[in-house]
């Protein structure tokens, strides 16, 4: 028994190392996707919050990855941006100042939104309706925390706050929720087919 354990240990360590390296690679690639989507940005003149594809990337990663990995990936993304890497939307202060600016709430909510979206999707056995529900709940987390953060900074009334941080984004965010759910389901069906043919 002792000899078997001694023989198995190196393989176990190697397997754990490979798994960690794979997860780290996924996290880094995920930050690149979020950064790319954040740079697809349209500023709106009446609000400091631009329309970007970043929420789509956050929700998609939440649905595709395990909750702990998506949370770690988006936390890494925030650390990259805080360190000065050009990963945030160009319509902002840049660096750590962007985390404390008008869009800081949306950014800081991203790891939590992705993790919750993934949890809902997995609890629903990865069915499409639960992909939609998970993405919708994740998007509500982004909007809620982003709005609360902007309200603290701007000291504006509720109606003005909603017109700056929620209402302009409802249509585009609904499209991002549906797109993230559809992409996640498409990726899952392709993965299932490829595993069945192997």
């Amino acid at each position: 028994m002792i000899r078997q354990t001694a023989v198995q240990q190196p393989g176990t360590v190697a397997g754990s190392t490979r798994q960690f390296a794979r997860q780290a690679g996924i996290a880094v690639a995920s930050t690149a996707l979020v950064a790319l989507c954040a740079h697809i940005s349209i500023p709106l003149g009446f609000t400091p919050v631009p329309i970007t594809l970043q929420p789509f990337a956050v929700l998609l990663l939440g649905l595709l990855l395990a909750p702990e990995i998506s949370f770690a990936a988006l936390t890494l993304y925030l650390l990259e941006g805080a360190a000065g890497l050009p990963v945030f939307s160009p319509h902002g202060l840049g660096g750590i100042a962007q985390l404390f600016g008008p869009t800081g709430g949306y950014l800081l909510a991203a790891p939590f939104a992705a993790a919750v979206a993934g949890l809902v999707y997995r609890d629903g056995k990865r069915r499409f309706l639960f992909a939609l529900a998970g993405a919708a709940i994740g998007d509500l987390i982004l909007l809620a925390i982003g709005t609360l953060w902007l309200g603290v900074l701007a000291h504006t009334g509720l109606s003005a706050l909603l017109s700056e941080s929620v209402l302009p984004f409802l249509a585009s965010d609904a499209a991002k929720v549906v797109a993230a759910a559809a992409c996640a389901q498409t990726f899952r069906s392709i993965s299932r087919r490829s595993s069945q043919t192997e």
Side-chain angles (χ1 to χ4, degrees):
M1 292 292 292
I2 296 175
R3 288 179 182 175
Q4 288 179 350
T5 303
V7 171
Q8 289 173 355
Q9 277 182 343
T12 302
V13 172
S16 299
T17 303
R18 281 195 299 272
Q19 184 179 10
F20 176 80
R22 179 176 176 274
Q23 291 176 347
I26 290 172
V28 172
S30 299
T31 66
L33 173 64
V34 180
L36 177 64
C37 289
H39 278 74
I40 302 173
S41 177
I42 303 172
L44 302 175
F46 57 89
T47 174
V49 183
I51 292 178
T52 78
L53 280 183
Q54 183 174 312
F56 164 76
V58 170
L59 299 174
L60 180 61
L61 292 175
L63 297 175
L64 290 179
L65 304 178
E68 63 274 13
I69 297 177
S70 65
F71 187 94
L74 286 157
T75 301
L76 176 61
Y77 170 75
L78 297 180
L79 292 174
E80 290 173 351
L85 294 179
V87 296
F88 293 152
S89 168
H91 303 290
L93 301 172
I96 196 169
Q98 196 144 336
L99 294 177
F100 295 97
T103 59
Y106 300 96
L107 290 169
L108 294 171
F112 302 96
V116 170
L119 286 171
V120 173
Y121 186 37
R122 280 157 179 74
D123 283 347
K125 310 300 182 186
R126 294 184 171 88
R127 292 190 291 269
F128 180 67
L129 285 179
F130 284 89
L132 278 176
I137 293 170
D139 192 66
L140 286 175
I141 292 172
L142 292 174
L143 287 174
I145 297 179
T147 300
L148 288 173
W149 185 277
L150 186 59
V152 170
L153 292 180
H155 303 290
T156 58
L158 180 60
S159 60
L161 188 61
L162 291 177
S163 67
E164 288 185 2
S165 59
V166 176
L167 296 179
F169 308 102
L170 288 179
S172 62
D173 277 26
K176 292 166 196 172
V177 165
V178 174
C183 288
Q185 283 297 102
T186 300
F187 181 84
R188 181 170 180 262
S189 64
I190 292 172
S191 298
R192 287 176 66 183
R193 284 197 211 105
S194 62
S195 63
Q196 287 171 358
T197 56
E198 288 177 358

